[in-house]
Amino acid sequence: MSANRSCLCSANCEIDCTRFNELKDKYKMTKFTDFGLNASLLRAIKEGGYEDTTPIQKQAIPAVLNGKDLIAIAQTGTGKTAAFSLPLIQKLLTGEGKRTARGARALILAPTRELAMQISENIRAYGQYLHLKTALIFGGASAKPQIKAMTAGVDILIATPGRLLDLMNQRHVNLGNVEYLVLDEADRMLDMGFIRDIQKIIAQLPTKRQTLLFSATMPTSVEKLANSILTHPIRIEVAPAATTAEKVAQHVLMVPKGRKRELLAHVLKDESLSRVLIFTRTKHGANRVSRQLEQLGISSAAIHGNKSQNARQKALNEFRAGETRALVATDVAARGIDVDGVTHVINFEIPNEPESYVHRIGRTARAGATGSSLSFCDHEERAYLKDIEKSIRQPVPVLEDHPFHAEGIANAPVGEDSKPANGGRRRRGGGNGRSGAASGNRQNNGGGRSGAPKSQNAGSGRPRQRNRRPQRAAA
């Protein structure tokens, strides 16, 4: 049988596509009222201020409602949470009240506690006029209320992998009756070293289920996972992998490494940078930048894995409310930051992975707004910038209009010797591709089994014990 070029499922299955082609007319639908959703669900959507669908929503919602497994590749800020949660809620209304003790009918896995909390908040808002029961499980917080929430069973369980696996092993959670599985930001979960936990969790699920996988990128590792857990999935890609948000005005500022703090102080004199998200590679770097801004009289807060859950949530809420002008974050901690109105993203340090750059700048220009990104690039980071430009298929314009512009950096040839000594690439078992201290600093981001800090040896330069299981990034 020859491959069907119009086929929308990854298996090129003509039978599946014949059934799916019946939904093509629905892809022309632009409003939530077009999908036949429950009236109470539509009421909550309307009260949330939503009427028109985004591209990922108008493609994913009918596919999920039709019972298909799904691979969806979409950038952050595209409305993917609603793309899976709305049809999921609709389907759970059939058979309402089927909850079993310590069980869940639908399981949503997320890489970080911030993202898990954001998903939970959205689902609770969508289902506020319904009788569905949800629970939220993540590390870095007491397990007792989470265990209590699962006692009578729930309809939807949102969880990070580490804490969930612990509660499963302690027999506080039983996933034997899960009907729907959602993996959100699958690429980041694998980057953080959760693959073994995910495999153990999925092994406890029924084989007969509907599985949805959402990811901003589709590296080989995610493709391999998808092939092992999905059945003839429909593949939706609303934008090519590693394509940056179209409405983000991107610029790079060439600056000596030792003058980045001065440059940051200079650019923040512009009051149009009213709500700024600043990215650093390490937790200690985030703290240093935040302290510097406070000394300059600029309200700021740092958010990273060493912060307590209450401190992280407080910082995020103040940033949302506009009480804090600048939020300084690491890549992992920023997962789940869903704040409208971020005017600028500043890469205080260039990320060593193009995918991280895409995720970072995607935090601005959300919900149809415009935004800007400024990347501070020193000599050692020129190679990272080149990788980013190659991945996004366009050069990032150099902004020279600042007092610290280093012409020598802008014109310097880029070679392997321009990268940091360790190359900044993924180390075996390191999980997230950060270099040096950054790799160690990704630990204890909140989804770990006890919430306690990981070993201080991580990223310290000491050799790891042979045959020891790689540490998993907490979420």
Side-chain angles (χ1 to χ4, degrees):
M1 182 182 297
S2 60
N4 181 0
R5 290 181 179 271
S6 64
C7 179
L8 294 176
C9 77
S10 62
N12 286 332
C13 175
E14 292 185 358
I15 296 177
D16 283 343
C17 287
T18 298
R19 295 178 59 194
F20 188 72
N21 284 340
E22 297 173 1
L23 295 173
K24 279 189 174 181
D25 288 340
K26 289 189 176 181
Y27 282 4
K28 299 176 183 177
M29 297 178 178
T30 59
K31 300 184 182 300
F32 290 106
T33 52
D34 295 332
F35 297 114
L37 299 175
N38 179 275
S40 296
L41 186 54
L42 288 174
R43 177 186 173 188
I45 295 170
K46 184 177 181 180
E47 290 181 357
Y50 303 107
E51 182 178 353
D52 297 329
T53 59
T54 65
I56 186 64
Q57 291 165 357
K58 67 181 178 181
Q59 293 189 63
I61 290 175
V64 177
L65 290 174
N66 195 44
K68 304 296 296 181
D69 281 9
L70 179 69
I71 297 175
I73 305 172
Q75 300 174 27
T76 183
T78 56
K80 55 186 175 65
T81 300
F84 64 74
S85 59
L86 293 178
L88 188 62
I89 292 172
Q90 177 70 28
K91 299 195 74 172
L92 287 169
L93 293 177
T94 302
E96 189 175 358
K98 289 172 57 178
R99 296 187 289 266
T100 58
R102 303 188 306 281
R105 298 179 61 199
L107 171 64
I108 302 173
L109 291 177
T112 68
R113 56 190 176 191
E114 278 77 20
L115 180 56
M117 293 173 68
Q118 184 67 48
I119 294 171
S120 178
E121 290 173 6
N122 289 341
I123 290 179
R124 289 178 187 274
Y126 297 143
Q128 61 183 298
Y129 300 115
L130 301 170
H131 300 291
L132 297 178
K133 188 175 180 181
T134 65
L136 179 60
I137 289 178
F138 56 82
S142 172
K144 289 183 178 179
Q146 300 173 5
I147 294 171
K148 182 178 180 181
M150 290 299 300
T151 301
V154 298
D155 294 290
I156 303 174
L157 172 59
I158 305 103
T160 53
R163 172 60 65 83
L164 175 59
L165 188 59
D166 274 349
L167 297 189
M168 290 171 62
N169 291 336
Q170 296 168 21
R171 301 185 183 278
H172 293 303
V173 176
N174 185 335
L175 301 180
N177 293 315
V178 167
E179 303 168 42
Y180 309 99
L181 169 65
V182 180
L183 300 180
D184 194 16
E185 297 204 0
D187 53 347
R188 183 54 59 181
M189 277 197 281
L190 268 59
D191 277 349
M192 293 170 65
F194 282 124
I195 181 61
R196 292 186 182 180
D197 289 347
I198 292 172
Q199 290 170 337
K200 289 178 180 179
I201 292 169
I202 293 177
Q204 301 301 314
L205 304 182
T207 303
K208 185 178 180 181
R209 64 174 187 273
Q210 185 177 2
T211 303
L212 316 175
L213 185 148
F214 285 75
S215 186
T217 60
M218 189 56 62
T220 303
S221 58
V222 177
E223 194 80 53
K224 184 178 179 181
L225 175 64
N227 290 337
S228 67
I229 65 174
L230 282 79
T231 303
H232 299 317
I234 293 167
R235 185 181 181 118
I236 295 172
E237 188 169 354
V238 298
T243 297
T244 50
E246 294 179 356
K247 294 185 179 181
V248 179
Q250 305 168 58
H251 290 92
V252 60
L253 292 75
M254 301 299 181
V255 57
K257 186 174 183 177
R259 308 206 70 179
K260 284 190 176 185
R261 296 187 190 183
E262 296 173 80
L263 176 58
L264 181 61
H266 172 77
V267 299
L268 288 178
K269 290 179 181 178
D270 185 347
E271 294 184 358
S272 68
L273 282 75
S274 57
R275 183 172 293 177
V276 186
L277 186 55
I278 303 171
F279 283 97
T280 63
R281 284 203 197 98
T282 70
K283 292 177 281 191
H284 298 303
N287 287 336
R288 285 194 298 268
V289 171
S290 181
R291 284 196 299 267
Q292 176 207 3
L293 294 179
E294 290 291 338
Q295 291 169 0
L296 294 173
I298 299 172
S299 58
S300 69
I303 180 171
H304 53 68
N306 278 356
K307 297 282 187 177
S308 69
Q309 179 60 35
N310 288 339
R312 293 166 74 167
Q313 199 59 41
K314 180 176 183 291
L316 191 54
N317 289 340
E318 291 176 349
F319 187 59
R320 279 200 183 103
E323 299 172 11
T324 298
R325 182 183 176 191
L327 184 65
V328 190
T330 56
D331 286 301
V332 174
R335 291 287 169 154
I337 294 180
D338 186 9
V339 180
D340 293 336
V342 174
T343 60
H344 293 74
V345 167
I346 295 179
N347 292 309
F348 188 80
E349 293 162 320
I350 300 288
N352 52 15
E353 292 181 330
E355 294 90 347
S356 294
Y357 177 83
V358 173
H359 281 295
R360 287 181 179 189
I361 72 169
R363 299 295 163 180
T364 186
R366 298 172 75 90
T370 57
S372 300
S373 71
L374 303 174
S375 299
F376 296 177
C377 182
D378 61 43
H379 178 76
E380 289 186 339
E381 295 170 324
R382 285 280 289 119
Y384 298 153
L385 176 62
K386 182 179 179 181
D387 289 344
I388 289 167
E389 291 176 329
K390 182 178 179 181
S391 179
I392 65 176
R393 306 178 184 92
Q394 66 183 64
V396 180
V398 177
L399 185 62
E400 300 180 2
D401 187 19
H402 64 88
F404 309 101
H405 176 64
E407 190 70 30
I409 296 176
N411 297 328
V414 178
E416 289 301 319
D417 59 342
S418 66
K419 295 183 180 181
N422 62 6
R425 298 304 184 191
R426 290 187 178 96
R427 296 187 303 171
R428 187 172 183 179
N432 72 344
R434 291 170 181 77
S435 59
S439 181
N441 284 335
R442 68 175 170 78
Q443 305 297 337
N444 189 33
N445 192 46
R449 298 185 170 176
S450 66
K454 301 288 186 181
S455 168
Q456 297 304 309
N457 290 340
S460 65
R462 301 175 186 174
R464 301 187 180 198
Q465 296 178 11
R466 190 169 183 175
N467 296 328
R468 184 179 178 183
R469 178 182 171 183
Q471 286 186 329
R472 177 190 63 225

